[in-house]
Amino acid sequence: MKELRPKMQIIFQDPYESLNPRMTVLDLVSEPLEVNDLVENEAEKLEKVAEILENVRLTPPEDFMFRYPHELSGGQRQRIAVARALIIHPDFVVADEPVSMLDTSTRGEVLNLMMELKTLTRSYLFITHELAVARHFCDRIAIMYLGRIMEMASSDDIVKNPVHPYTRALLEATPVPNPRARKEKINIKGEVISPINPPRRCRFYTRCLMAKEICSRLEPELVDIGGGHVVACHLNHV
Ligand code: SF4
């Protein structure tokens, strides 16, 4: 784990809970450098912290380094979380609903900032309930239902050619800014099964409008339907 940790970082959902209120911005942002032995001295640490604070637009950095989290707005706190994750240039960053607690204008700023800074990491795994946000941010989208991937493809492909009944229902429920746009309305009804010890059948079976007999006795595998678009649904291969 000591070798893996410098390669992975996480941005948590709630910037009010995820930053230690007793630590200054300097301590919070430099912590990943210190625990992973990535700096040799204080001067190097200050230089790296100043650089990443500039990157996340908390400038001038000297104005922010010695503040505590309660002296920052929600958006500024989440920028600290982004800086803390990216300062060590990890291979992989899990961003767990990183903008869902922010107000609308700040959300766009933080999202765009994370996109601009994507060269500081190899990849983000971005977790969200909002398909519009996923489409804006991600190259590929995986749609999950009760802990399993139901469909995965490029963001464009998921939005333009959804195949799984659950993906299609999700897309129909996503608001669009055009008041004249007409959409087929698919209401998902039925019981949500427990994700603990789920039965060996399609997890979406109790809510699916397209269900067949086979869906009640066999859990569908993920199958590539072409171009890296994978779907777990019997409709595609029965
Ligand atoms: Fe619906 Fe069957 Fe496909 Fe599951 S496998 S999503 S129940 S059609």
Side-chain angles (χ1 to χ4, degrees):
M1 284 309 289
K2 198 159 194 284
E3 279 177 29
L4 277 178
R5 280 199 183 104
K7 298 180 180 173
M8 308 182 292
Q9 289 290 292
I10 185 162
I11 301 169
F12 292 100
Q13 179 178 16
D14 185 352
Y16 293 88
E17 296 288 340
S18 63
L19 302 178
N20 185 334
R22 295 174 194 278
M23 291 171 76
T24 62
V25 168
L26 174 61
D27 291 339
L28 287 163
V29 176
S30 64
E31 194 177 32
L33 294 171
E34 305 253 26
V35 296
N36 292 302
D37 296 327
L38 296 174
V39 275
E40 309 230 317
N41 53 49
E42 199 64 15
E44 189 187 356
K45 179 174 100 178
L46 281 171
E47 190 185 324
K48 289 196 170 189
V49 171
E51 186 186 350
I52 197 77
L53 289 181
E54 298 243 8
N55 285 337
V56 297
R57 312 266 158 67
L58 292 175
T59 54
E62 311 76 50
D63 278 6
F64 288 92
M65 274 191 202
F66 303 102
R67 292 200 205 173
Y68 286 88
H70 73 270
E71 298 174 286
L72 304 170
S73 67
Q76 288 172 332
R77 288 179 201 216
Q78 205 58 324
R79 284 164 195 258
I80 297 295
V82 173
R84 193 174 141 87
L86 295 180
I87 193 168
I88 58 173
H89 297 203
D91 284 348
F92 179 56
V93 175
V94 176
D96 182 9
E97 302 237 31
V99 295
S100 62
M101 304 278 293
L102 305 178
D103 61 55
T104 312
S105 61
T106 317
R107 292 166 66 143
E109 285 171 22
V110 173
L111 270 183
N112 289 337
L113 185 73
M114 287 175 66
M115 284 173 80
E116 276 173 38
L117 297 179
K118 65 183 178 188
T119 51
L120 299 184
T121 177
R122 232 178 254 266
S123 57
Y124 288 113
L125 177 71
F126 191 100
I127 301 164
T128 179
H129 284 93
E130 297 174 71
L131 263 179
V133 171
R135 188 187 184 188
H136 175 67
F137 192 86
C138 303
D139 300 319
R140 283 177 69 72
I141 296 179
I143 304 287
M144 296 190 76
Y145 185 76
L146 294 179
R148 272 208 70 187
I149 291 177
M150 297 282 138
E151 182 165 8
M152 181 164 58
S154 71
S155 301
D156 262 3
D157 213 11
I158 283 277
V159 174
K160 290 180 185 154
N161 306 307
V163 174
H164 196 284
Y166 180 56
T167 311
R168 291 172 59 187
L170 276 184
L171 281 164
E172 296 307 332
T174 304
V176 291
N178 179 359
R180 292 199 181 83
R182 293 200 171 271
K183 291 171 111 192
E184 183 193 350
K185 196 161 168 60
I186 302 176
N187 285 322
I188 307 182
K189 295 183 180 152
E191 172 205 0
V192 181
I193 60 167
S194 166
I196 302 165
N197 202 12
R200 301 267 326 141
R201 67 179 183 210
C202 175
R203 290 172 190 221
F204 194 52
Y205 173 70
T206 52
R207 309 182 78 194
C208 183
L209 300 176
M210 322 275 285
K212 298 173 161 206
E213 188 273 329
I214 189 174
C215 311
S216 67
R217 55 183 168 80
L218 200 63
E219 188 162 24
E221 296 291 328
L222 272 176
V223 174
D224 193 329
I225 58 169
H229 189 149
V230 293
V231 185
C233 176
H234 291 304
L235 288 183
N236 297 301
H237 43 93
V238 175

Short mmCIF file of all heavy atoms in Angstrom, two decimals, residues 150 164-166 202-206 208-212 214-215 218 220 232-235, ligand 1:
data_model
loop_
_atom_site.label_atom_id
_atom_site.label_comp_id
_atom_site.label_asym_id
_atom_site.label_seq_id
_atom_site.Cartn_x
_atom_site.Cartn_y
_atom_site.Cartn_z
N MET A 150 -24.32 -1.65 -15.58
CA MET A 150 -25.37 -2.09 -16.51
C MET A 150 -24.99 -1.76 -17.95
O MET A 150 -25.37 -2.47 -18.87
CB MET A 150 -26.69 -1.37 -16.18
CG MET A 150 -27.24 -1.70 -14.81
SD MET A 150 -28.04 -3.31 -14.85
CE MET A 150 -27.49 -4.03 -13.34
N HIS A 164 -29.50 -0.07 -22.64
CA HIS A 164 -30.08 -0.72 -21.46
C HIS A 164 -31.35 0.02 -21.02
O HIS A 164 -31.38 1.26 -21.00
CB HIS A 164 -29.06 -0.71 -20.32
CG HIS A 164 -29.40 -1.66 -19.22
ND1 HIS A 164 -30.38 -1.40 -18.29
CD2 HIS A 164 -28.92 -2.89 -18.92
CE1 HIS A 164 -30.47 -2.42 -17.45
NE2 HIS A 164 -29.60 -3.34 -17.82
N PRO A 165 -32.42 -0.71 -20.68
CA PRO A 165 -33.67 -0.05 -20.25
C PRO A 165 -33.46 0.94 -19.10
O PRO A 165 -34.12 1.98 -19.04
CB PRO A 165 -34.56 -1.22 -19.83
CG PRO A 165 -34.07 -2.38 -20.63
CD PRO A 165 -32.58 -2.18 -20.75
N TYR A 166 -32.54 0.63 -18.18
CA TYR A 166 -32.31 1.56 -17.06
C TYR A 166 -31.65 2.86 -17.55
O TYR A 166 -32.05 3.95 -17.16
CB TYR A 166 -31.44 0.87 -16.00
CG TYR A 166 -31.16 1.75 -14.81
CD1 TYR A 166 -32.20 2.30 -14.07
CD2 TYR A 166 -29.85 2.04 -14.42
CE1 TYR A 166 -31.95 3.13 -12.98
CE2 TYR A 166 -29.60 2.85 -13.33
CZ TYR A 166 -30.65 3.38 -12.62
OH TYR A 166 -30.40 4.21 -11.54
N CYS A 202 -31.50 -10.71 -13.25
CA CYS A 202 -31.19 -9.32 -13.55
C CYS A 202 -31.64 -8.44 -12.37
O CYS A 202 -32.77 -8.56 -11.89
CB CYS A 202 -31.92 -8.88 -14.82
SG CYS A 202 -31.69 -7.13 -15.13
N ARG A 203 -30.76 -7.57 -11.93
CA ARG A 203 -31.08 -6.74 -10.76
C ARG A 203 -32.18 -5.72 -11.06
O ARG A 203 -32.79 -5.17 -10.15
CB ARG A 203 -29.83 -5.98 -10.31
CG ARG A 203 -28.85 -6.92 -9.71
CD ARG A 203 -27.52 -6.28 -9.43
NE ARG A 203 -26.62 -7.37 -9.08
CZ ARG A 203 -25.73 -7.33 -8.12
NH1 ARG A 203 -25.55 -6.23 -7.44
NH2 ARG A 203 -24.99 -8.38 -7.86
N PHE A 204 -32.41 -5.47 -12.33
CA PHE A 204 -33.40 -4.48 -12.70
C PHE A 204 -34.75 -5.14 -13.00
O PHE A 204 -35.71 -4.47 -13.34
CB PHE A 204 -32.87 -3.70 -13.92
CG PHE A 204 -33.61 -2.43 -14.22
CD1 PHE A 204 -33.81 -1.46 -13.24
CD2 PHE A 204 -34.10 -2.18 -15.49
CE1 PHE A 204 -34.50 -0.29 -13.52
CE2 PHE A 204 -34.79 -1.01 -15.78
CZ PHE A 204 -34.99 -0.06 -14.79
N TYR A 205 -34.81 -6.46 -12.87
CA TYR A 205 -35.98 -7.24 -13.31
C TYR A 205 -37.30 -6.72 -12.73
O TYR A 205 -38.29 -6.59 -13.43
CB TYR A 205 -35.77 -8.71 -12.92
CG TYR A 205 -36.96 -9.58 -13.17
CD1 TYR A 205 -37.37 -9.89 -14.46
CD2 TYR A 205 -37.70 -10.08 -12.10
CE1 TYR A 205 -38.48 -10.66 -14.69
CE2 TYR A 205 -38.82 -10.87 -12.32
CZ TYR A 205 -39.20 -11.16 -13.61
OH TYR A 205 -40.31 -11.93 -13.84
N THR A 206 -37.32 -6.41 -11.41
CA THR A 206 -38.59 -6.03 -10.78
C THR A 206 -39.10 -4.66 -11.25
O THR A 206 -40.23 -4.28 -10.96
CB THR A 206 -38.45 -5.99 -9.24
OG1 THR A 206 -37.32 -5.17 -8.92
CG2 THR A 206 -38.25 -7.38 -8.67
N CYS A 208 -38.25 -3.44 -14.63
CA CYS A 208 -38.02 -3.29 -16.07
C CYS A 208 -39.31 -3.50 -16.87
O CYS A 208 -40.01 -4.50 -16.69
CB CYS A 208 -36.95 -4.28 -16.52
SG CYS A 208 -36.56 -4.10 -18.26
N LEU A 209 -39.60 -2.58 -17.78
CA LEU A 209 -40.80 -2.70 -18.63
C LEU A 209 -40.59 -3.69 -19.78
O LEU A 209 -41.55 -4.08 -20.43
CB LEU A 209 -41.16 -1.32 -19.21
CG LEU A 209 -41.46 -0.22 -18.19
CD1 LEU A 209 -41.71 1.11 -18.89
CD2 LEU A 209 -42.68 -0.59 -17.34
N MET A 210 -39.34 -4.07 -20.02
CA MET A 210 -39.04 -4.95 -21.16
C MET A 210 -38.72 -6.38 -20.70
O MET A 210 -38.27 -7.19 -21.50
CB MET A 210 -37.81 -4.44 -21.92
CG MET A 210 -37.70 -2.95 -22.04
SD MET A 210 -38.61 -2.36 -23.43
CE MET A 210 -37.57 -2.84 -24.74
N ALA A 211 -38.90 -6.67 -19.41
CA ALA A 211 -38.43 -7.94 -18.86
C ALA A 211 -39.03 -9.16 -19.59
O ALA A 211 -40.20 -9.15 -19.99
CB ALA A 211 -38.75 -8.00 -17.38
N LYS A 212 -38.20 -10.20 -19.72
CA LYS A 212 -38.66 -11.46 -20.30
C LYS A 212 -38.49 -12.55 -19.25
O LYS A 212 -37.88 -12.31 -18.20
CB LYS A 212 -37.79 -11.83 -21.50
CG LYS A 212 -37.84 -10.84 -22.62
CD LYS A 212 -36.81 -11.25 -23.63
CE LYS A 212 -37.11 -10.59 -24.96
NZ LYS A 212 -36.60 -11.32 -26.07
N ILE A 214 -36.51 -15.10 -19.19
CA ILE A 214 -35.11 -15.43 -18.87
C ILE A 214 -34.50 -14.46 -17.85
O ILE A 214 -33.64 -14.81 -17.05
CB ILE A 214 -34.25 -15.47 -20.16
CG1 ILE A 214 -32.87 -16.02 -19.83
CG2 ILE A 214 -34.14 -14.10 -20.81
CD1 ILE A 214 -31.99 -16.25 -21.02
N CYS A 215 -35.00 -13.22 -17.84
CA CYS A 215 -34.44 -12.20 -16.94
C CYS A 215 -34.68 -12.58 -15.47
O CYS A 215 -33.97 -12.12 -14.58
CB CYS A 215 -35.07 -10.84 -17.21
SG CYS A 215 -35.07 -10.37 -18.94
N LEU A 218 -31.74 -15.62 -14.80
CA LEU A 218 -30.33 -15.55 -15.20
C LEU A 218 -29.84 -14.11 -15.17
O LEU A 218 -30.48 -13.23 -15.77
CB LEU A 218 -30.20 -16.11 -16.62
CG LEU A 218 -28.84 -16.57 -17.07
CD1 LEU A 218 -28.36 -17.74 -16.22
CD2 LEU A 218 -28.91 -16.98 -18.55
N PRO A 220 -27.72 -11.22 -16.48
CA PRO A 220 -27.01 -11.01 -17.75
C PRO A 220 -25.57 -10.57 -17.52
O PRO A 220 -25.27 -9.82 -16.59
CB PRO A 220 -27.81 -9.89 -18.43
CG PRO A 220 -28.53 -9.20 -17.33
CD PRO A 220 -28.74 -10.18 -16.23
N ALA A 232 -25.23 -5.02 -20.08
CA ALA A 232 -25.65 -6.25 -19.39
C ALA A 232 -27.17 -6.34 -19.47
O ALA A 232 -27.87 -5.83 -18.60
CB ALA A 232 -25.19 -6.22 -17.93
N CYS A 233 -27.68 -6.90 -20.56
CA CYS A 233 -29.13 -7.03 -20.72
C CYS A 233 -29.42 -8.18 -21.68
O CYS A 233 -28.79 -8.26 -22.74
CB CYS A 233 -29.71 -5.73 -21.27
SG CYS A 233 -31.48 -5.83 -21.61
N HIS A 234 -30.38 -9.05 -21.34
CA HIS A 234 -30.69 -10.19 -22.20
C HIS A 234 -31.27 -9.77 -23.54
O HIS A 234 -31.22 -10.52 -24.51
CB HIS A 234 -31.67 -11.13 -21.50
CG HIS A 234 -31.05 -11.85 -20.35
ND1 HIS A 234 -29.92 -12.62 -20.48
CD2 HIS A 234 -31.38 -11.90 -19.03
CE1 HIS A 234 -29.59 -13.13 -19.31
NE2 HIS A 234 -30.45 -12.69 -18.41
N LEU A 235 -31.87 -8.56 -23.60
CA LEU A 235 -32.48 -8.12 -24.87
C LEU A 235 -31.47 -8.11 -26.00
O LEU A 235 -31.83 -8.21 -27.16
CB LEU A 235 -33.04 -6.71 -24.72
CG LEU A 235 -34.30 -6.53 -23.89
CD1 LEU A 235 -34.74 -5.07 -23.93
CD2 LEU A 235 -35.40 -7.43 -24.41
FE1 SF4 B 1 -34.82 -5.71 -18.39
FE2 SF4 B 1 -34.26 -8.26 -18.79
FE3 SF4 B 1 -32.61 -6.38 -19.70
FE4 SF4 B 1 -32.82 -6.84 -17.09
S1 SF4 B 1 -32.05 -8.26 -18.62
S2 SF4 B 1 -32.79 -4.87 -18.07
S3 SF4 B 1 -34.98 -7.32 -16.89
S4 SF4 B 1 -34.73 -6.77 -20.35
#
